[in-house]
């Protein structure tokens, strides 16, 4: 039984600037099994992280390069990216 | 079949059009959209846009958008090229081409592709102001509405 | 300000785009449509299209259509180039470009210009069939409907 | 008082082919004062003209390079063009 998830977390645009990091590898308790739970867990890591996630309503997420919801499940090995609403084109 | 590129260098719209239609005799119309950097945003003068993206995801997201267009319209070919990096006013940002036997399909697919790209592809723009300072561009509700109409 | 041409020779879409945007920093998007000769019409193989027009009227009619677009959208520039004469499959027939600060205006004006051109500019097409024979192209109700939606 | 109108009449596409002529100058009675009356007058000129105007419902008209209706008035000196519905683009 694995009781932790190993995740790669990426930050883009102003989330990257606020978190102060572009990419980190984290090991989270198995109970952190959804995107929403990961946000709560990450926000407690540093004042920068707290600032990045201060308004979860404007944070978007992708799991393994696919758009995900707060309720999307996480598995060990996932790449989880956080970013603001996209503004390309 | 679609040509999807994310690159720092400029693109040549004429060459992309020629590439798409070379040797073809079944194309009736090609829709095209070229997005360029304006020197003004919300009344402030812009020195440049800095375009960031999520490399591992971008081309996949663009391919999904093209697939969605191909499900909705009978297209003969599509091209989507998006630039990243620092782009000054007047520079090209994005090119969309859609070729079809019929003009309505080509034009509608072109509008669809740029509307969806604006809301479903992982690009972010930061404005560098001529007077100093910079700011991330906020997503616009009008872009969400444009994407939702399809 | 708009560039309106009726000509037998081909046009260069890349050069027309470059001409429209040269030195400009206020353009946010350019919509473009290129109409080309297909090798098939209603299941019959085409050797060529012969395009006839009413010279004294054509550029005036095109100017009216461009003016109508300029009343509906805030456009920075427009180009309409229509070829006449004998055109073989794969050849360009018509180019429409519309530049605006905003993409929706550019895309909608492009669709408007080609829809109205199809029903309000004095051009007529005759198909030359590969198997011999020829026939004037009939106006399509779908083109009338497309023009009427604006 | 002028009791005739001098008109230049142009034919395009299959109207030209059926009429067998691209352009003609005609002098019509002053009573031929509308596009519809001119069509009736022209259709009587030759079997080719009759064929060109056999189905007036599919004939379009411009007077002095502006689209016109069957009821549009004519004046001496006008250039009147007849053609099928346009098919450019």
């Amino acid at each position: 039984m694995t009781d932790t998830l190993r995740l790669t977390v990426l930050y883009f645009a102003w989330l990257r600037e606020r978190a102060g990091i572009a990419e980190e590898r984290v090991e989270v308790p198995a109970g952190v099994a959804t995107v929403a739970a990961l946000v709560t867990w990450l926000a407690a890591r540093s004042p920068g992280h707290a600032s990045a996630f201060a308004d979860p309503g404007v944070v978007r997420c992708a799991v393994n390069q696919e758009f995900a919801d707060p309720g999307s499940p996480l598995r060990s090995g996932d790449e989880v990216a956080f970013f603001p609403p996209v503004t390309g084109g | 079949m679609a040509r999807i590129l994310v690159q720092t260098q400029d693109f040549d719209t004429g060459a992309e059009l020629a590439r798409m239609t070379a040797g073809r005799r079944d194309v009736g119309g090609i829709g095209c959209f070229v997005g360029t950097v304006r020197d003004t945003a919300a009344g402030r003068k812009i020195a440049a846009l800095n375009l960031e993206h999520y490399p591992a995801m971008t081309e996949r997201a663009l391919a999904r958008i093209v697939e969605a267009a191909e499900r909705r319209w009978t297209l003969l070919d599509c091209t989507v090229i998006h630039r990243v990096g620092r782009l000054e006013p007047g520079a090209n940002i994005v090119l969309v081409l859609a070729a079809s036997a019929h003009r309505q399909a080509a034009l509608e697919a072109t509008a669809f592709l740029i509307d969806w790209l604006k809301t479903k592809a992982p690009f972010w723009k930061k404005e560098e102001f001529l007077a100093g300072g910079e700011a991330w561009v906020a997503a616009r509700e009008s872009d969400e509405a444009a994407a939702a109409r399809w």
Side-chain angles (χ1 to χ4, degrees), chain A, chain B:
Chain A
M1 290 288 295
T2 307
D3 55 2
T4 60
L5 307 182
R6 291 163 190 272
L7 304 172
T8 300
V9 181
L10 307 180
Y11 303 93
F12 291 98
W14 56 256
L15 271 93
R16 173 174 44 73
E17 292 177 343
R18 291 197 191 174
I21 190 168
E23 175 170 349
E24 57 187 338
R25 281 158 210 277
V26 297
E27 199 166 326
V28 303
V32 180
T34 64
V35 167
L38 178 63
V39 166
T40 303
W41 189 88
L42 290 167
R45 273 171 80 77
S46 79
H49 285 79
S51 168
F53 291 110
D55 182 359
V58 298
V59 175
R60 299 291 178 267
C61 180
V63 175
N64 299 328
Q65 300 93 43
E66 300 282 351
F67 286 106
D69 297 314
S72 296
L74 297 176
R75 291 185 310 171
S76 202
D78 282 351
E79 176 176 294
V80 186
F82 293 102
F83 42 78
V86 304
T87 58
Chain B
M1 186 182 59
R3 177 166 159 87
I4 295 171
L5 297 169
V6 180
Q7 61 189 37
T8 54
Q9 70 266 34
D10 198 7
F11 51 78
D12 177 337
T13 302
E16 293 298 331
L17 270 166
R19 178 191 178 102
M20 176 173 275
T21 54
R24 294 199 83 127
R25 298 157 62 96
D26 53 353
V27 174
I30 304 140
C32 168
F33 177 77
V34 182
T36 50
V37 181
R38 279 196 300 148
D39 64 357
T40 310
R44 299 179 72 177
K45 285 287 173 190
I46 296 290
L49 285 183
N50 284 283
L51 267 137
E52 175 176 334
H53 75 129
Y54 178 4
M57 182 173 173
T58 314
E59 294 197 14
R60 181 189 300 204
L62 294 176
R64 292 282 169 89
I65 294 167
V66 167
E67 285 160 17
E70 290 171 339
R71 280 195 299 275
R72 282 168 170 77
W73 293 279
T74 302
L75 301 179
L76 297 166
D77 204 356
C78 280
T79 295
V80 178
I81 303 178
H82 204 297
R83 294 180 71 190
V84 292
R86 186 173 187 278
L87 302 174
E88 298 187 351
N92 289 325
I93 304 174
V94 62
L95 171 68
V96 170
L97 298 178
S100 176
H102 302 288
R103 86 177 181 287
Q104 292 298 355
L107 287 166
E108 290 181 14
T110 300
F112 170 89
L113 287 165
I114 187 66
D115 281 349
W116 273 37
L117 186 156
K118 288 225 168 221
T119 59
K120 297 178 200 294
F123 294 98
W124 301 276
K125 285 194 194 104
K126 191 179 208 177
E127 291 164 343
E128 226 180 277
F129 300 110
L130 209 56
E134 50 183 32
W136 289 97
V137 175
R140 294 164 56 203
E141 283 183 23
S142 61
D143 285 337
E144 284 293 334
R149 73 197 160 113
W150 296 106

